């Protein structure tokens, strides 16, 4: 990788500074790139430009915005190999998963382009009441204003896409603050955006240390904050700016329920494969990675053994190796924390079924059972390659255990029974229920978000476009309806 400093983007233009930081591969510590970080002056220039551009950009024609979004989607597909390698290098994500992230990001921009072309108001007749004869209403959605998007390290491209694409689709200027550990994916998005006809000020990408974020959060010229990241930081932002529109996509400790009707050999093999794969993918660093698995007692022994076998077959090692399924965590500190949490659980009575050891920033895929109710690996978000498997006496008990959590992002229920499926949708306190699969499934065009400490608001292209806008009503008088 080149050591020439990567430039950032201020109001659509490349910029540099003397504040340089190294981005290193979490797997082996090798240098990936040197990145220039935005200064306070750069931040002020970006915010001023966003505020100045807001009215013009909000009124810009749909074809301009849709064409820009289409262009980014095309460029991501054209350079997918390079971008996947970049994601893998800066985040430690296995390259096979990085390629999927690039594909998803391209789809996110494509969906946004399509939604831009469909983004229209609704007409409402008002002559339903005698006093409103001759009146007609046009209800349209208008951007709330410039957006501050703060993104995490675990999906350094697609989670940025989920901030940028909906904002540009509705004509809301956006400033992206990427995670300090993974700025490169957002910077290459800036490169693609710079090739479009979007007006100056409509977007900026500003790598910066986290301690520079609070002034941005408080800046009145950025009335919308869209944050994806840790639970404490998210709620601190909400409390700090109660009059702003704040969208939070926070943590989870996603649960799976395996019902007694999911009992054929094929069913069990499929469930084991999905649980093992999506408990450990991203090294568990996903808000909807499988963490808790509740299995009906009639199936527990068989499925537990299958899950262990599948987990032990997952390859660990260099994220650049095509054979690697589970790469490193983002840094040694994160892996050490996971190691401590597992050790605490075992010391308190949990049984280690496989894994349980660390090598640098890599933590072995781990399965636990008999985990005490108070253990961190059960109650908090592990954000590492660890799952717990426990037997339950009934589906009702399993649902109660799923809900016994401060989080409520998504849950997976393996069942063929439609009655159970609808019961799950009705009773599980989560933003999404996935039937016949793990909670890790996400389609980027669907509304996505959680309850409780998992956050508020919804992403997914159309849902985010609605979230970034507000309704405004135009009533016409003396109109022949």
């Amino acid at each position: 990788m080149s050591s020439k400093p990567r430039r950032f983007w201020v109001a659509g233009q490349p910029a540099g500074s003397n504040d340089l930081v190294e981005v290193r591969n979490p797997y082996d510590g090798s240098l990936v790139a040197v990145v220039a970080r935005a200064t306070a002056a750069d931040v002020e220039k970006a915010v001023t430009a966003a505020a100045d551009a807001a009215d013009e950009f909000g009124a810009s024609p749909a074809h301009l915005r849709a064409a820009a979004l289409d262009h980014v989607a095309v460029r991501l597909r054209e350079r997918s190999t390079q971008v996947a390698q970049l994601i893998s290098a800066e985040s430690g994500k296995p390259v096979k998963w990085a390629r999927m992230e690039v594909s998803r990001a391209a789809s996110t921009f494509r969906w946004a382009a399509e939604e831009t072309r469909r983004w229209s108001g609704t007409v409402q007749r008002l002559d339903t009441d005698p006093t409103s004869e001759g009146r007609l209403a046009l209800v349209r959605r208008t951007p709330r204003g410039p957006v501050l998007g703060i993104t995490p390290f675990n999906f350094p491209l697609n989670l940025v896409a989920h901030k940028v694409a909906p904002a540009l689709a509705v004509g809301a200027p956006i400033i992206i603050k990427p995670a300090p550990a993974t700025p490169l994916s957002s910077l290459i998005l800036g490169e693609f955006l710079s090739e479009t006809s979007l007006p100056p000020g409509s977007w900026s990408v500003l790598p910066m240390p986290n301690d520079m974020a609070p002034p941005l959060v408080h800046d009145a010229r950025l009335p919308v904050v869209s944050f994806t990241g840790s639970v404490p930081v998210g709620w601190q932002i909400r409390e700090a700016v109660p009059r702003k529109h704040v969208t939070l996509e926070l943590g989870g400790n996603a649960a799976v329920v395996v019902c007694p009707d999911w009992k054929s050999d094929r069913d069990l093999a499929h469930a084991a494969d999905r649980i093992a794969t999506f408990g450990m993918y991203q090294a568990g660093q996903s808000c909807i990675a499988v963490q808790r698995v509740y299995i009906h007692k009639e199936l527990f022994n068989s499925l537990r053994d299958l899950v262990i076998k599948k987990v032990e077959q997952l390859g660990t090692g260099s994220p650049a190796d095509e054979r690697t399924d589970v790469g490193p965590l983002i840094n040694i500190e994160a892996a050490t924390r996971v190691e401590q949490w597992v050790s605490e659980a075992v010391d308190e009575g949990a049984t280690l079924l496989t894994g349980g050891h660390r090598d640098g920033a890599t933590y072995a895929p781990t399965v636990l059972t008999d985990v005490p109710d108070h253990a961190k690996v059960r109650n908090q978000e592990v954000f590492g390659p660890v799952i717990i498997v426990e037997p339950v006496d009934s589906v009702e008990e399993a649902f109660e255990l799923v809900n016994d959590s401060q989080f409520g992002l998504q849950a997976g229920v393996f069942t063929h029974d439609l009655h159970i499926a609808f019961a799950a949708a009705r009773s599980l306190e989560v933003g999404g229920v996935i039937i016949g699969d793990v909670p890790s499934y996400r389609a980027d065009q669907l509304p996505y978000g959680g309850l409780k400490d998992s956050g508020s608001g919804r992403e997914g292209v159309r849902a985010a476009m609605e979230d970034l806008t507000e309704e405004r009503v135009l009533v016409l008088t003396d109109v022949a309806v």
Side-chain angles (χ1 to χ4, degrees):
M1 297 286 181
S2 171
S3 59
K4 182 179 179 180
R6 304 286 180 92
R7 306 183 83 186
F8 50 91
W9 300 92
V10 177
Q13 298 298 315
S17 76
N18 293 323
D19 183 10
L20 305 179
V21 63
E22 294 180 340
V23 177
R24 293 191 172 273
N25 190 312
Y27 178 69
D28 58 12
S30 60
L31 180 66
V32 179
V34 176
V35 173
R37 298 195 293 191
T39 65
D42 296 314
V43 172
E44 175 59 27
K45 183 177 179 181
V47 175
T48 299
D52 290 345
D55 288 345
E56 177 187 352
F57 190 42
S60 62
H63 69 81
L64 180 145
R65 289 175 273 125
L69 294 162
D70 272 331
H71 175 80
V72 175
V74 170
R75 296 291 279 145
L76 283 169
R77 289 191 292 269
E78 289 175 346
R79 293 176 59 180
S80 59
T81 298
Q82 177 195 0
V83 177
Q85 291 171 344
L86 190 68
I87 292 170
S88 180
E90 71 172 338
S91 70
K93 181 176 301 191
V95 70
K96 65 173 65 176
W97 293 113
R99 280 197 298 271
M100 292 183 65
E101 181 171 351
V102 177
S103 177
R104 287 182 59 190
S107 294
T108 299
F109 277 96
R110 175 177 59 82
W111 272 108
E114 294 173 2
E115 291 291 355
T116 301
R117 295 183 176 98
R118 289 190 286 263
W119 189 246
S120 302
T122 59
V123 174
Q124 185 172 340
R125 65 185 305 159
L126 301 177
D127 62 354
T128 53
D129 187 275
T131 61
S132 293
E133 287 186 20
R135 295 183 189 270
L136 186 73
L138 176 62
V139 183
R140 294 180 291 181
R141 301 196 70 90
T142 302
R144 296 177 186 273
V147 180
L148 170 62
I150 303 176
T151 59
F153 68 82
N154 55 326
F155 287 87
L157 180 69
N158 198 39
L159 291 184
V160 174
H162 272 284
K163 308 293 185 192
V164 173
L168 299 182
V170 300
I174 182 165
I175 294 173
I176 285 291
K177 180 211 166 296
T182 55
L184 302 176
S185 300
S186 57
L187 293 178
I188 202 166
L189 272 185
E191 178 185 334
F192 300 153
L193 288 168
S194 73
E195 299 165 351
T196 72
S197 298
L198 291 172
S202 59
W203 62 275
S204 295
V205 181
L206 304 178
M208 65 181 75
N210 287 335
D211 60 11
M212 285 183 66
L216 271 173
V217 169
H218 284 272
D219 197 309
R221 294 169 293 177
L222 301 173
V224 179
V225 180
S226 179
F227 174 85
T228 301
S230 73
V231 173
V233 174
W235 292 116
Q236 286 169 11
I237 290 173
R238 168 64 61 79
E239 292 166 1
V241 286
R243 295 191 178 186
K244 287 195 175 192
H245 184 78
V246 179
T247 296
L248 302 176
E249 298 295 340
L250 307 177
N253 62 349
V256 168
V257 175
V258 183
C259 301
D261 66 292
W262 198 268
K263 60 185 178 181
S264 72
D265 290 345
R266 181 179 178 180
D267 285 346
L268 294 175
H270 176 69
D273 179 68
R274 300 294 285 178
I275 290 167
T277 299
F278 288 96
M280 308 304 169
Y281 90 125
Q282 308 279 142
Q285 297 171 124
S286 167
C287 297
I288 46 177
V290 176
Q291 183 170 330
R292 298 176 292 148
V293 184
Y294 299 114
I295 305 169
H296 193 272
K297 62 183 179 182
E298 295 174 2
L299 309 175
F300 180 75
N301 290 339
S302 298
L303 186 52
R304 175 201 58 199
D305 293 345
L306 285 172
V307 169
I308 294 169
K309 181 179 179 180
K310 289 289 184 181
V311 167
E312 291 177 342
Q313 290 172 350
L314 296 173
T316 60
S318 169
D321 190 330
E322 292 287 347
R323 297 168 295 181
T324 298
D325 300 300
V326 184
L329 281 82
I330 191 61
N331 52 43
I332 290 178
E333 291 75 18
T336 300
R337 177 191 55 76
V338 173
E339 180 183 40
Q340 292 171 343
W341 284 18
V342 171
S343 296
E344 288 175 9
V346 172
D347 290 343
E348 293 169 353
T351 301
L352 179 66
L353 299 176
T354 190
H357 55 87
R358 179 179 63 84
D359 181 9
T362 300
Y363 193 77
T366 297
V367 183
L368 298 167
T369 193
D370 306 318
V371 176
D373 291 345
H374 60 274
K376 292 175 182 175
V377 293
R378 179 195 181 281
N379 290 311
Q380 299 186 33
E381 183 178 37
V382 175
F383 226 57
V386 179
I387 61 176
I388 66 172
V389 294
E390 303 291 355
V392 293
D393 292 330
S394 66
V395 172
E396 292 75 19
E397 180 190 359
F399 286 1
E400 290 177 3
L401 289 168
V402 172
N403 288 341
D404 183 21
S405 172
Q406 71 187 86
F407 301 104
L409 194 47
Q410 294 200 154
V413 179
F414 286 94
T415 184
H416 298 291
D417 189 328
L418 280 178
H419 296 287
I420 294 176
F422 279 97
R426 183 175 60 252
S427 61
L428 293 181
E429 298 166 356
V430 295
V433 177
I434 314 300
I435 301 298
D437 207 349
V438 291
S440 316
Y441 173 80
R442 178 182 178 185
D444 293 290
Q445 69 270 32
L446 280 174
Y448 173 80
L451 311 178
K452 300 188 278 190
D453 272 357
S454 288
S456 61
R458 291 294 180 269
E459 290 196 341
V461 176
R462 178 78 185 196
M465 291 169 68
E466 292 176 352
D467 198 60
L468 297 175
T469 56
E470 55 194 358
E471 288 183 329
R472 293 193 185 178
V473 175
L474 173 66
V475 175
L476 302 175
T477 305
D478 293 331
V479 176
V481 179

